[in-house]
Amino acid sequence: MFEQFRRVANFYFLIIFLVQLIIDTPTSPITSGMPLCFVITVTAIKQVEVDSIHATIECEQPQPDLYKFVGRINVYMDNEPVARPLGSENLLLRGATLKNTEYIYAVAIYTGMETKMALNYQTKTQKRSAVEKSMNAYLVVYLCILISKALINTVLKYAWQADPNRDEPWYNDRTEPERQRHIVIRAFTDFLAFMVLFNYIIPVSMYVTVEMQKFLGSYFIMWDDEMFDEEMGERAVVNTSDLNEELGQVEYVFTDKTGTLTENNMEFIECCVDGHVYVPDIICNGQVMPGATSMDMIDTSPGPGAREHEELFFRALCLCHTVQVKEEETVDGIKHGIHQGKSTSFYISSSPDEVALVEGMKRLGFTYLRLKDSHMEILNREDEIERFQLLEVLTFDSVRRRMSVIVRSSTGELYLFCKGADSAIFPRVVSGKVEQIKARVEHNAVEGLRTLCVAYRPLSPAQYQEVCHLLNGAKLALQDRDKRLAEAYDVIEKDLILLGATAVEDRLQEKAADTIESLHKAGMKVWVLTGDKMETAAATCYASKLFRRNTQILELTTKRTEEQSLHDVLFDLSRTVLRQIGGMTRDSFSGLSGDCTDYGLIIDGATLSAVMRPAQEDSNSGNYKEIFLEICRNCSAVLCCRMAPLQKAQIVKLIKASKEHPITLAIGDGANDVSMILEAHVGIGIMGKEGRQAVRNSDYAIPKFKHLKKMLLVHGHYYYIRISELVQYFFYKNVCFIFPQFLYQFFCGFSQQPLYDTAYLTLYNISFTSLPILLYSLIEQHIHMDILRKDPSLYRDIAKNSLLRWPIFIYWTVLGVYDAVVMFFGVYFLFDNTTFTSNGQMFGNWTFGTLVFTVLVFTVTFKLALDTHYWTWINHFVIWGSLVFFLVFSLLWGGIIWPFLNYQRMYYVFMQMLSSGPAWLSIILLIAASLLPDVLKKVQMYAGFGYVPTLMDNADKLYKGQLSEFTPMASLHAPSKAGRHRRGSGNQRNAPNPRRSAPFHKKLMFTRWRRTPDYRTFAPLLAFADGSRHSKQGRAYGGTGPGTSV
Amino acid sequence: MVKEEQESANRPDNTAFTQQRLPAWQPILSAGIIIPGFVIIGLTFIGIGVALFVTSKSIQDMEIDYTGVETDSDCYKCTNTDEKNCVCRLDFNIPTLIEGPVFFYYGLSNYFQNYRRYGVSKDDTQLSGDLDNFKTPSDDCSPYETDDTFVLYQNLNGSNQEVPFDGKGIAWWTDYNVKYRNPDVTPLKDAFEGTVKPPFWSKPAYELDPTDPNNNGFINQDFLVWMRRAALPDFRKLYRRISQDDYARGLPAGNYTLQIGYNYPVMSFKGKKKVVFSNVSWMGGRNEFLGIAYLVIGSWCIVMSIVMLIVYAKFKFPEED
C-alpha cells in the first residue's frame, strides 16, 4: 500500500515538473525494484581456479546471509581430486584478522557488488513508520483537494464564459490560433494551468524537511549521554533514522530473555551427576572436593559405576564445547585466567554458557588446557594431562538445541559427548538416572537457572566409520547442505546415556525490572520470547516484574494440552479472560475497581506451532489464531518459552497482522533474535556478548536493556510530537498559502492569475517558513524530559497515532482554510473600491497579493510560535530571524530594478504598501483575527486554566520543584486521560503493592481534576478527538467519571 | 588504560545542546496572563476601531454613473461604438461642500484588468524605453487604456466656470521616474514611427498631453495609472486632483456639469463607468470595513475574557473549600 502512495507522490511531482516544463527529475523509485535481482535463487555454480595450490572451488551464488556459505574445494594431488567442504567458517569477511599463523592461502570468491556487505546493504527492507502512512493518506486527500479545486475552477470558468461578452471582451480577445483550438483541449489546458497554480498545496518541501528532521534528529539519540554505557564504552547506534517517531508509538514489546533482560554473564552454580549434586567452592584453590559442599541428595557411598559416570561427566563438559583458549603474556585476566606457569590464559567463546561451564569444571578440578594438533588437553584432578583426539564437532544450532563432539581417548576408545537443552536430550536417552536428573533440572529451572543436560554414547570403530561417512556426505553437498547435515546429526545423536545436568545462573540486568514496569505503565504489552525452559523463564519474569504476585498466570503449554485438547484449553482460557473483563467494567462503573486481576500468559513453542497451524478440515481449528489473539490482547504480559528463532518472528508477525495493527518493537541481542528484529516495526539490538548480528540488523542499538526506557518514553515521545506537528503544520501552512489564490480566481475571471509574485511563490516554502518548523521539529519539548521519564503513563497520550488522527487533521485544515478566508477577504474588503493612502493614489493587484502574503507569513510563523513550548535562544533566533529575512527580502526585491528579470511588477510595491497606515493596521488586525481561534482553542485546552497554578503548587511540593517546568500540554493531558487511567490502573496495579507511593500522591492530585470534563463542552473538536480515544480505552479502563461520555 | 581512552573517545559530548537540555523559556498561558491579555488587546482594538470608524464617517465620497444605459441619459448616444469622438454632458448637484483636496476618480466595473492574459500583455522592456522592442514587442501586447476625458464645470449664475484639474502626481513616483522610461529619441514621435495606435485611443502615445512634453509616451501619468493593474474587477483609478485656485478648500455646494469625451465602450461586456469625487484622510478613502472589523475583533476579545473570567471564578473558588 505504502509503495503505491510513495509512487503517487513521486508521480505527482514528476507530472507537475513536466507541466511546468522544468526539466528536473525528482528521486526515482527504482530503489525498491533492486532487491528483485536477488530473489532469484542460488542454482548456478561458479568455478574459481586456485593457482598456487592446484585446486578448484565450487561455491554458491552470492547471497546476503553473512553466516551462510556453502562451497567445496577440489584439491588436485597428483591429478587426483580430493573434495573438502567449505562452510562459513572458511569464509573470511571484511575486517577479519590473521592470528596464530604467518600466512594463509586465500581466494577472493565474491568481489564488488557480490560481496556480502554489498548485498546486505541493498537488501535490507525499508521499514515505514505509522506517521509516514498518515502522511501519505493526507497527501492523497490533498491531492484530491487539488484536483477538485482545479476542476471546480475549470468548470466555473467555462460556465462563466458561457456569456459571450465575458468570454472575449474586446479588451481581452484571444489570438486566432487560440480561437480555433477545440474546446476540450482548451479546457484541459486550463485544468493543467490551474493545477500548476495550486500545486503548492502539496507540500513538496515537506518530504525534504521530514527527511532532514529524521536524519538530524537521530543524532540526539546517538548523542545521549544517558544511553552511554561506561562499562562497555558503547553508545546508542542509529541504523535507520526513518523510525524515530515510531519509538513513540510502540504497543507491543517483544524481548529476548538471555542477554537482553539478563546480563548474559553466566556463572556456574552446580552440576548434578546421577542425582549427586556438586557445588564448586567460590574460593577456588586449585582442588575442591565435591563433598565439602555436597547436598542432601548425595549418596554417601557412590558405587564404582557412579564414580565412572562422574569422571565421564566432567570430561564431557571439558570436551564438548567450542571454547578457545587465549593466552596472554600479561597478568591481566586474573579473574578469568588459569594459572599455568608464567603465562595466563582465558577462555573465549561465542556462548557465555560454555565459558561458564568450562570455568566451572576448572573449579571442580578438571581444567581444559588447549586444543593442540586436534588434541584436546585436560588437566585432571591428579594434575595429569589427558589428551583426547577431537574427531568431529557437531556444532550447536538453535533448532536442534544441542551440540556434540566425537573424541578418541588416549586409550583408543571412541565417545560421542552431547550436551543440550533437556528437551533436546531426554527423548534421545536410552539409559541413565533420568528421573532423578529430571527432578533436579526442574528444581533448578524454577530457581531461574539455565540448565543443560549432558549425555554420552560410546562408539565402536564401525559405528564411527558410518558416522564419518554420513557427515562427509552431508558436508560436501552443495545443495540443501543444512538440511542434510541436520538429518545426519539426527541419526548420530541417538541412543545416548544420560550423565547429568548443569545449572548456570544468568543475573538480571541492572534496572530491568524498573524498565519493564515503566513500559507496563506506559501501556505497552511486554512479551518475553525465549528459548529457555518454561520454569527458568517464568522465574526471570517474576524477578523482572513482568509477572507480579497478583498476576494470574494462564498456561498454554504442552503439559496442559496433553490433558485436554488444545481446543478446550483455548476456549477455557478465553472464557476466563473475557469474564473477568466483563466483571471489571461493571466494577469500575460502580466506582470500585478493586481487585482487578491482570493476566499473564505462558505459552511454549510446541503449543504455539499447534495454534499457528493452518486450518485443517476439522471444525474450528481455523479460529485458534483469533482466540489466541483475543487471550493475548487481554494479558498484560506474555511469556513464550521454548521458542525457535523463526517462531519469534512468527509471533511478531501474528500480532502485527491482528486487526488493530499494533506497532511492535522487538529487542534482542543474539543471532536468534535477528528474524524478529527484522520482522517487528522497530527492531532494537542490544550490544551484548553474542556478537553484533542483532546490532547490525537492528534499526537502533543500545548498550543495555534499561536504555530502552529513555529511548521510548523520552526520545520516542518527543519525536512523535515533533513530527506530527511538522506534518500537520506543513499541510496547514500550505492551505493558508494556496487557498487565497483559489479564492482570487473568482475575482479575476478564472484566468489563473497568480495572487502572489513568483518570488513569493517559490520562496514561501523554501525560506520564509521552512526553518522555524524544522527547528521546532528538532528541539521542541512540550513536557520536560524528567517528567516524561517519571510518569510513563504520559506515553499513552500519544498512543495509536493520536496526534495524526483525522479529526485533528481536519481541525488543522479547517484552521488553514479559515485563516486563508480571513486573510483574503480582509484584504478584499480593504481594497474594496477605495484608496488607502493619504495621497489618493491607487494600489494594484500586486499590492493586494503582497498584503495577503505578508499577513500569511506572519500568521503561520506566529502560529508556530504559539505551539512552541520550549523557547531556547535558537528558537528565538530562527523564528524572529525568518520574519526579518522576509522583510529584508521584500524590501530588496521591490527596491531594485533587477536587470535579469523581464518584468518589474514588484518594483516598490512592498514599500508603497508599508507607507500606508491602513495597510499596517489591517496586517495587525488580520494576524490577530487569524490567530484568535487557535488561541481560544488553546485556552480551552487548558480546560480551566485556573487549575494550572493549582497543579503547579501541588506539583512543586510533590516533585520537589522538578515539576516547576511542567508545561501546559502536560497538565492538559494528564487530567483528561492519563489521570483517569492512573486512577483505574493505579488502583489495580499499585494498591496491592504499597511500596510504590508516588502514584498515590498523584492520585490525590488528579481527583481534583475530575471536575474538568464540564469544560470540555467548550471545545467540541477536541472533545471529539478525545472522545474517540476514550471509547477505545473505555473497555479496559472503564468509564470512571461522567466526563467520558462526551 | 587503552580501554579507558577508547571509552572516552566514544562517549558522546556532554553539552547542553546534545543532551537536549538547553536553557529554555517555557511560557505558560495561565489565567493571570490570558484574561488581562485579552482585555488589553480587546480595548486597544476597540479604540483603534472607533478612531477608524469615526474617521471613515467623516470622509465624503460621491459616485456618479455615466455609462449611459438609460435612454434619457445624455451619454446614451455615445454607447454606439460607431460614434467617434463622442462628447456627452452630465449634470449633477453637490449638496454640501466636499472639503479639499478633492480627488477625482474614474471607475469601471466588471472590467477584468486582473485577467491573466491581460496582465501579461505588456512589454516591460519596451515600456522602460528599450527601442529594440518597439516594432517587435512580445507577442501578446495589447494594453487597452481607457481614453475617456473629463472636464468639470461649476454652474455659477448661469455661466460655467471650469474647475481646474491637477494631473501631476497621480501615479506612483517610482513608476513615473524610474520604472517607465521613454526612449531616448527627440522628437518622441520618431520613436513611435511604424507602430500602430492602439484601438480606442483618440491620440497617439506621443501626443497624449500637448501641454507638457514630460507627460507623453510611456510616462504619461494617465497611462501609468492605468498600467497599475487593479486587483479586482470593480475598481476606480485616480484621474485628477482638485486643489487649485477657488477650489483649494474643496468643491463648494452647487450645480456642476461634467463634460465627458466618451471614447471607451463598455456595454459589450456589461461594464459600468462612473466618476467619483472623494476626499481622503490619513487612512485614505472611505472604508468602513477596517473600523468595523477592529470593533468586532476587539469586542470578541472582551467577551471571551468575560467568559473566561466567569469560568475561572465558578470553578476555581469552590475548589478551595
Side-chain angles (χ1 to χ4, degrees):
Chain A
M1 258 333 243
F2 175 74
E3 291 297 327
Q4 290 297 323
F5 288 145
R6 183 73 168 191
R7 260 175 238 142
V8 166
N10 282 335
F11 185 68
Y12 164 78
F13 298 141
L14 185 72
I15 290 296
I16 290 299
F17 279 118
L18 283 182
V19 169
Q20 287 177 302
L21 291 174
I22 296 169
I23 307 305
D24 185 13
T25 32
T27 51
S28 63
I30 53 161
T31 39
S32 55
M34 290 296 276
L36 279 173
C37 311
F38 309 109
V39 176
I40 299 150
T41 44
V42 188
T43 44
I45 300 295
K46 224 169 86 168
Q47 294 261 341
V48 183
E49 283 282 322
V50 180
D51 276 338
S52 52
I53 319 168
H54 189 62
T56 53
I57 292 176
E58 294 170 63
C59 61
E60 61 181 350
Q61 282 290 302
Q63 61 147 322
D65 190 331
L66 290 178
Y67 304 96
K68 266 202 191 121
F69 174 70
V70 179
R72 181 160 60 188
I73 186 166
N74 296 312
V75 185
Y76 293 94
M77 289 174 168
D78 311 323
N79 285 333
E80 195 71 13
V82 180
R84 292 277 156 75
L86 295 175
S88 59
E89 67 275 6
N90 301 98
L91 191 70
L92 297 181
L93 298 176
R94 195 177 76 174
T97 49
L98 204 56
K99 279 200 305 196
N100 305 336
T101 174
E102 286 295 304
Y103 63 91
I104 53 166
Y105 287 106
V107 173
I109 296 185
Y110 304 126
T111 56
M113 294 307 283
E114 291 184 338
T115 57
K116 298 209 177 260
M117 190 57 88
L119 292 176
N120 268 287
Y121 180 69
Q122 280 158 339
T123 48
K124 200 156 189 182
T125 48
Q126 281 273 309
K127 292 181 183 176
R128 298 273 163 206
S129 72
V131 168
E132 256 179 279
K133 282 170 201 152
S134 319
M135 217 162 91
N136 284 288
Y138 296 168
L139 186 80
V140 170
V141 171
Y142 269 65
L143 206 60
C144 295
I145 294 178
L146 168 70
I147 290 170
S148 55
K149 266 185 177 176
L151 265 180
I152 288 170
N153 266 339
T154 313
V155 168
L156 283 178
K157 175 172 184 162
Y158 284 88
W160 185 75
Q161 284 183 349
D163 183 347
N165 294 328
R166 285 183 180 150
D167 186 18
E168 266 186 280
W170 58 262
Y171 59 86
N172 207 1
D173 53 354
R174 289 202 193 86
T175 53
E176 202 50 42
E178 270 182 319
R179 235 171 260 149
Q180 281 162 357
R181 224 173 280 160
H182 192 269
I183 181 139
V184 176
I185 295 171
R186 267 192 289 151
F188 185 68
T189 326
D190 276 325
F191 174 74
L192 286 183
F194 280 121
M195 288 281 280
V196 171
L197 189 66
F198 300 142
N199 86 79
Y200 299 89
I201 199 173
I202 306 287
V204 184
S205 55
M206 184 172 76
Y207 282 91
V208 181
T209 315
V210 164
E211 289 304 318
M212 277 172 73
Q213 190 265 351
K214 288 182 167 180
F215 176 70
L216 296 175
S218 61
Y219 277 94
F220 283 115
I221 295 179
M222 287 189 248
W223 282 336
D224 196 328
D225 196 42
E226 287 171 41
M227 298 209 288
F228 173 76
D229 190 75
E230 304 207 8
E231 209 177 294
M232 299 160 79
E234 296 275 9
R235 56 161 126 178
V237 172
V238 178
N239 292 331
T240 340
S241 55
D242 278 349
L243 299 168
N244 292 343
E245 68 275 6
E246 202 84 334
L247 293 172
Q249 291 294 304
V250 176
E251 290 161 79
Y252 282 84
V253 174
F254 297 95
T255 165
D256 175 42
K257 190 179 79 71
T258 312
T260 307
L261 285 178
T262 60
E263 292 263 11
N264 205 6
N265 191 4
M266 306 297 174
E267 202 176 327
F268 182 80
I269 299 295
E270 61 161 55
C271 58
C272 156
V273 185
D274 286 351
H276 305 265
V277 178
Y278 297 78
V279 180
D281 199 357
I282 306 300
I283 307 139
C284 156
N285 234 349
Q287 293 205 343
V288 174
M289 283 299 123
T293 46
S294 64
M295 308 284 286
D296 52 311
M297 284 174 79
I298 292 188
D299 191 345
T300 40
S301 58
R307 183 77 193 167
E308 188 192 324
H309 267 181
E310 183 198 308
E311 298 269 299
L312 218 48
F313 175 81
F314 290 141
R315 289 197 179 95
L317 279 179
C318 283
L319 297 172
C320 182
H321 56 72
T322 52
V323 170
Q324 283 178 315
V325 179
K326 191 174 183 193
E327 303 199 5
E328 290 253 317
E329 294 305 315
T330 54
V331 261
D332 243 8
I334 292 168
K335 195 181 165 194
H336 295 279
I338 46 171
H339 300 280
Q340 226 254 315
K342 297 155 287 178
S343 68
T344 312
S345 35
F346 52 88
Y347 300 121
I348 327 169
S349 167
S350 58
S351 152
D353 290 77
E354 290 195 326
V355 175
L357 286 175
V358 175
E359 276 178 8
M361 284 306 106
K362 196 180 91 194
R363 279 149 63 187
L364 285 171
F366 286 82
T367 311
Y368 170 60
L369 291 178
R370 68 182 75 82
L371 175 69
K372 196 177 171 189
D373 305 329
S374 74
H375 280 78
M376 294 172 110
E377 297 179 1
I378 296 172
L379 191 69
N380 68 8
R381 282 179 184 159
E382 281 78 40
D383 265 343
E384 295 162 2
I385 290 180
E386 295 175 17
R387 287 164 61 91
F388 291 87
Q389 191 188 357
L390 180 64
L391 299 171
E392 296 284 349
V393 178
L394 284 60
T395 49
F396 178 84
D397 68 64
S398 47
V399 178
R400 243 165 78 235
R401 301 170 54 79
R402 60 178 179 267
M403 72 162 290
S404 307
V405 289
I406 299 174
V407 293
R408 180 185 282 136
S409 73
S410 46
T411 52
E413 287 154 29
L414 287 161
Y415 290 107
L416 178 136
F417 290 117
C418 180
K419 92 175 177 222
D422 53 340
S423 63
I425 301 284
F426 284 133
R428 302 178 166 270
V429 166
V430 287
S431 69
K433 297 191 174 168
V434 178
E435 286 312 312
Q436 280 147 307
I437 291 170
K438 215 175 206 169
R440 191 67 196 162
V441 163
E442 257 156 44
H443 172 262
N444 283 336
V446 169
E447 299 275 300
L449 302 175
R450 293 162 68 87
T451 56
L452 281 177
C453 291
V454 182
Y456 83 107
R457 175 188 172 196
L459 293 173
S460 66
Q463 280 171 319
Y464 174 63
Q465 285 308 318
E466 197 188 328
V467 164
C468 276
H469 178 73
L470 260 173
L471 283 177
N472 280 339
K475 278 183 187 166
L476 285 178
L478 281 181
Q479 273 152 17
D480 299 331
R481 180 184 282 182
D482 290 339
K483 200 177 140 207
R484 290 184 56 183
L485 268 179
E487 284 166 7
Y489 290 162
D490 201 49
V491 173
I492 297 165
E493 292 165 333
K494 64 176 184 194
D495 305 333
L496 303 172
I497 301 161
L498 190 64
L499 285 169
T502 60
V504 169
E505 191 188 17
D506 186 9
R507 257 166 306 170
L508 268 188
Q509 274 198 18
E510 182 197 357
K511 287 186 182 165
D514 170 62
T515 307
I516 292 221
E517 207 176 357
S518 300
L519 297 183
H520 265 303
K521 277 190 199 158
M524 282 175 250
K525 295 189 172 164
V526 182
W527 291 38
V528 173
L529 311 182
T530 178
D532 282 3
K533 268 180 73 70
M534 183 187 127
E535 289 79 10
T536 315
T540 313
C541 287
Y542 276 108
S544 61
K545 295 202 180 140
L546 186 74
F547 296 152
R548 292 154 203 283
R549 245 165 291 155
N550 61 323
T551 307
Q552 189 180 336
I553 304 290
L554 311 172
E555 278 186 30
L556 196 57
T557 52
T558 345
K559 225 193 295 173
R560 261 195 92 172
T561 46
E562 273 164 10
E563 295 159 15
Q564 277 174 294
S565 76
L566 178 66
H567 184 88
D568 295 342
V569 176
L570 274 173
F571 274 90
D572 263 10
L573 291 181
S574 72
R575 229 171 300 139
T576 325
V577 171
L578 290 176
R579 195 190 316 130
Q580 186 60 38
I581 295 300
M584 192 173 88
T585 323
R586 232 174 298 125
D587 273 354
S588 42
F589 264 116
S590 62
L592 298 161
S593 49
D595 55 348
C596 266
T597 332
D598 55 0
Y599 289 98
L601 178 76
I602 299 178
I603 183 167
D604 63 8
T607 322
L608 184 76
S609 54
V611 169
M612 303 278 278
R613 208 162 25 220
Q616 286 156 10
E617 61 269 29
D618 59 320
S619 60
N620 288 330
S621 59
N623 291 336
Y624 287 172
K625 262 189 205 177
E626 283 306 308
I627 300 164
F628 174 65
L629 278 175
E630 186 62 35
I631 297 169
C632 291
R633 259 196 290 272
N634 294 308
C635 292
S636 58
V638 177
L639 165 65
C640 305
C641 42
R642 295 273 183 228
M643 302 288 273
L646 216 61
Q647 276 186 313
K648 292 185 175 186
Q650 268 180 352
I651 285 258
V652 176
K653 204 173 199 164
L654 180 76
I655 296 296
K656 252 171 87 177
S658 71
K659 64 174 182 286
E660 295 104 344
H661 296 291
I663 307 295
T664 55
L665 178 144
I667 179 165
D669 71 322
N672 58 342
D673 305 314
V674 168
S675 57
M676 100 178 156
I677 285 176
L678 290 176
E679 181 64 42
H681 291 101
V682 187
I684 296 198
I686 298 265
M687 300 161 185
K689 297 190 175 149
E690 295 189 17
R692 295 186 75 88
Q693 290 162 53
V695 172
R696 212 175 288 122
N697 287 290
S698 64
D699 303 310
Y700 299 91
I702 47 179
K704 286 273 159 65
F705 184 71
K706 65 175 178 185
H707 298 129
L708 188 65
K709 183 174 170 185
K710 186 166 191 197
M711 192 92 166
L712 297 183
L713 296 185
V714 178
H715 288 293
H717 199 129
Y718 279 159
Y719 282 116
Y720 180 72
I721 297 272
R722 289 166 184 173
I723 203 150
S724 56
E725 171 88 6
L726 172 71
V727 170
Q728 300 278 25
Y729 180 77
F730 250 100
F731 283 107
Y732 157 81
K733 83 180 166 97
N734 282 286
V735 174
C736 285
F737 179 44
I738 282 312
F739 204 73
Q741 188 136 283
F742 171 73
L743 292 172
Y744 191 58
Q745 297 311 308
F746 290 82
F747 300 96
C748 70
F750 305 100
S751 60
Q752 300 112 26
Q753 168 69 33
L755 182 59
Y756 316 112
D757 181 54
T758 322
Y760 286 156
L761 280 173
T762 317
L763 292 180
Y764 175 74
N765 272 323
I766 296 173
S767 44
F768 297 147
T769 60
S770 61
L771 271 186
I773 182 63
L774 177 64
L775 189 82
Y776 174 98
S777 65
L778 285 175
I779 67 175
E780 166 72 355
Q781 295 179 21
H782 63 301
I783 302 175
H784 195 271
M785 230 183 258
D786 298 333
I787 294 171
L788 281 181
R789 210 167 14 191
K790 278 216 168 61
D791 190 355
S793 56
L794 291 171
Y795 193 82
R796 292 165 189 248
D797 296 346
I798 55 165
K800 287 274 169 206
N801 209 357
S802 64
L803 297 181
L804 291 174
R805 299 264 183 106
W806 287 107
I808 296 178
F809 170 70
I810 290 167
Y811 168 77
W812 278 89
T813 304
V814 167
L815 187 71
V817 171
Y818 164 82
D819 285 356
V821 167
V822 165
M823 286 184 260
F824 181 80
F825 284 104
V827 177
Y828 173 83
F829 286 117
L830 187 74
F831 264 74
D832 188 21
N833 238 337
T834 186
T835 175
F836 49 96
T837 54
S838 50
N839 62 9
Q841 289 171 359
M842 297 301 292
F843 286 157
N845 66 321
W846 296 117
T847 313
F848 188 99
T850 306
L851 191 54
V852 174
F853 192 78
T854 309
V855 176
L856 168 78
V857 169
F858 276 83
T859 304
V860 295
T861 308
F862 285 152
K863 160 77 180 136
L864 188 70
L866 276 176
D867 286 350
T868 305
H869 293 99
Y870 191 77
W871 285 85
T872 63
W873 64 269
I874 314 176
N875 290 78
H876 284 288
F877 179 75
V878 168
I879 287 189
W880 311 128
S882 74
L883 289 179
V884 168
F885 174 76
F886 164 70
L887 295 178
V888 169
F889 174 85
S890 296
L891 289 173
L892 267 182
W893 186 240
I896 299 172
I897 295 268
W898 292 96
F900 56 86
L901 289 178
N902 58 0
Y903 60 86
Q904 302 295 343
R905 59 199 186 195
M906 292 305 288
Y907 186 60
Y908 252 70
V909 163
F910 194 70
M911 274 80 122
Q912 283 281 350
M913 186 185 85
L914 293 187
S915 71
S916 144
W920 282 85
L921 286 176
S922 64
I923 289 172
I924 295 168
L925 171 86
L926 296 178
I927 292 171
S930 304
L931 293 178
L932 195 62
D934 198 55
V935 173
L936 285 178
K937 187 203 143 208
K938 276 192 197 311
V939 170
Q940 285 159 15
M941 272 177 60
Y942 301 144
F945 35 87
Y947 285 87
V948 175
T950 323
L951 174 78
M952 298 301 296
D953 297 343
N954 290 347
D956 269 354
K957 285 173 212 148
L958 282 173
Y959 283 131
K960 296 194 183 84
Q962 269 172 331
L963 269 180
S964 59
E965 284 151 325
F966 210 65
T967 54
M969 263 302 267
S971 53
L972 146 77
H973 284 294
S976 54
K977 296 176 293 294
R980 211 163 288 139
H981 296 319
R982 198 170 296 113
R983 192 172 159 269
S985 58
N987 280 346
Q988 297 164 24
R989 298 218 180 103
N990 298 329
N993 200 346
R995 272 176 297 151
R996 283 184 299 276
S997 52
F1000 180 62
H1001 286 290
K1002 280 196 235 158
K1003 237 161 57 196
L1004 263 187
M1005 198 163 82
F1006 288 117
T1007 44
R1008 296 158 67 88
W1009 276 88
R1010 264 178 299 118
R1011 299 192 188 208
T1012 52
D1014 295 8
Y1015 292 82
R1016 321 192 110 256
T1017 43
F1018 292 125
L1021 249 176
L1022 180 80
F1024 176 49
D1026 289 344
S1028 61
R1029 251 177 292 167
H1030 286 168
S1031 58
K1032 280 258 163 68
Q1033 294 172 341
R1035 194 181 53 162
Y1037 297 106
T1040 48
T1044 34
S1045 53
V1046 181
Chain B
M1 291 305 282
V2 180
K3 211 178 171 194
E4 269 172 33
E5 269 169 38
Q6 277 174 348
E7 270 176 35
S8 53
N10 195 24
R11 189 178 193 116
D13 292 343
N14 194 357
T15 63
F17 177 69
T18 55
Q19 301 308 313
Q20 305 195 63
R21 290 186 185 278
L22 278 177
W25 172 57
Q26 291 170 296
I28 293 171
L29 292 183
S30 65
I33 297 169
I34 290 170
I35 297 177
F38 265 64
V39 170
I40 290 169
I41 291 172
L43 290 179
T44 316
F45 273 33
I46 288 176
I48 295 173
V50 168
L52 283 172
F53 193 72
V54 169
T55 315
S56 179
K57 277 288 177 206
S58 70
I59 295 169
Q60 290 155 296
D61 192 273
M62 189 172 147
E63 230 178 70
I64 307 152
D65 189 290
Y66 71 95
T67 320
V69 185
E70 302 85 10
T71 44
D72 59 340
S73 155
D74 189 43
C75 289
Y76 176 68
K77 63 184 184 206
C78 299
T79 54
N80 183 354
T81 40
D82 295 337
E83 193 89 16
K84 293 287 177 220
N85 293 327
C86 173
V87 174
C88 65
R89 298 167 69 85
L90 183 72
D91 298 321
F92 62 96
N93 176 268
I94 294 179
T96 54
L97 169 81
I98 302 180
E99 276 176 43
V102 176
F103 292 83
F104 179 74
Y105 297 89
Y106 62 90
L108 279 170
S109 61
N110 215 2
Y111 186 99
F112 286 83
Q113 207 187 10
N114 58 9
Y115 207 83
R116 184 171 61 95
R117 262 186 298 125
Y118 188 90
V120 296
S121 64
K122 63 172 180 174
D123 189 325
D124 272 326
T125 41
Q126 184 192 51
L127 296 173
S128 58
D130 189 342
L131 266 182
D132 297 341
N133 290 44
F134 256 68
K135 284 162 198 161
T136 53
S138 49
D139 303 339
D140 37 21
C141 185
S142 55
Y144 301 106
E145 192 196 347
T146 173
D147 197 30
D148 286 2
T149 55
F150 307 95
V151 183
L152 182 66
Y153 299 98
Q154 184 181 12
N155 307 347
L156 287 171
N157 312 323
S159 70
N160 285 345
Q161 181 187 342
E162 186 179 337
V163 177
F165 279 166
D166 176 13
K168 284 208 170 63
I170 55 172
W172 290 16
W173 187 91
T174 47
D175 284 355
Y176 182 68
N177 288 296
V178 184
K179 190 170 161 183
Y180 293 90
R181 295 283 64 183
N182 271 332
D184 211 5
V185 177
T186 39
L188 193 56
K189 183 179 175 185
D190 294 355
F192 285 87
E193 201 169 299
T195 58
V196 180
K197 190 181 74 174
F200 304 109
W201 278 29
S202 52
K203 290 175 234 166
Y206 47 86
E207 283 172 5
L208 289 172
D209 186 357
T211 58
D212 181 0
N214 285 329
N215 195 21
N216 272 323
F218 301 136
I219 55 169
N220 176 270
Q221 296 244 359
D222 290 322
F223 176 71
L224 296 184
V225 167
W226 180 255
M227 288 306 286
R228 186 141 297 277
R229 291 164 62 203
L232 300 166
D234 295 350
F235 59 90
R236 59 171 78 162
K237 281 178 187 278
L238 185 58
Y239 185 69
R240 291 293 181 266
R241 271 181 298 184
I242 303 167
S243 57
Q244 286 163 316
D245 305 341
D246 301 340
Y247 303 96
R249 282 183 49 251
L251 279 180
N255 289 323
Y256 291 82
T257 302
L258 187 67
Q259 183 187 310
I260 299 155
Y262 196 116
N263 293 321
Y264 206 67
V266 294
M267 294 296 281
S268 64
F269 52 89
K270 301 215 173 73
K272 288 268 201 256
K273 300 205 282 191
K274 64 195 173 192
V275 289
V276 183
F277 298 94
S278 170
N279 52 16
V280 298
S281 69
W282 61 271
M283 61 161 285
R286 186 150 104 191
N287 188 343
E288 285 164 16
F289 162 75
L290 208 52
I292 293 172
Y294 261 101
L295 286 174
V296 168
I297 301 287
S299 354
W300 185 241
C301 284
I302 298 285
V303 168
M304 283 320 296
S305 60
I306 292 170
V307 169
M308 282 189 274
L309 196 65
I310 293 169
V311 170
Y312 178 65
K314 192 175 170 193
F315 288 92
K316 168 147 193 189
F317 300 127
E319 201 60 42
E320 315 228 309
D321 297 342

